[in-house]
Amino acid sequence: AIAVSHSVLPHVFRGMEFWLFMFIHLVLYFSYRSGILNPQWTKVTEDWGLNWQAVRIVTTITTFFEVFYFNQCFARYTNLYNKTRCLMCDT
């Protein structure tokens, strides 16, 4: 079983930012699916166009740094946890 109550998820779900971005995401998603927004508008030659190759590169680099940062934070947490446990055992 997954214990959600002692994780970061309740804090995230209480935040207004999460629901704002979720709402924007759903509006854009369903607008594209229903045809309200024309997929041709996002071609590179248009004003709102996007080079998806560049997005892929930025996403890859961002994911790498997020994983690296999380690994460093977890290593520091584990180190602090072990030292705290040793300290509690000594007292």
Side-chain angles (χ1 to χ4, degrees):
I2 298 175
V4 176
S5 62
H6 298 292
S7 70
V8 72
L9 292 179
H11 180 69
V12 170
F13 291 147
R14 280 192 305 263
M16 183 193 67
E17 298 87 4
F18 172 78
W19 295 109
L20 175 69
F21 285 118
M22 181 62 77
F23 175 75
I24 292 170
H25 170 74
L26 291 174
V27 166
L28 290 174
Y29 175 79
F30 287 113
S31 296
Y32 269 106
R33 289 295 208 177
S34 64
I36 295 171
L37 292 176
N38 188 352
Q40 298 298 325
W41 294 343
T42 59
K43 289 199 178 225
V44 177
T45 57
E46 298 294 325
D47 290 336
W48 289 94
L50 193 59
N51 182 352
W52 289 105
Q53 183 63 29
V55 171
R56 190 175 301 135
I57 293 168
V58 170
T59 303
T60 303
I61 292 171
T62 303
T63 303
F64 169 76
F65 282 113
E66 285 177 2
V67 170
F68 179 77
Y69 177 73
F70 179 76
N71 189 25
Q72 294 297 315
C73 290
F74 186 72
R76 280 186 262 146
Y77 166 76
T78 306
N79 186 20
L80 183 62
Y81 176 78
N82 290 333
K83 288 182 179 183
T84 305
R85 295 286 292 177
C86 288
L87 180 66
M88 296 302 284
C89 290
D90 290 342
T91 57

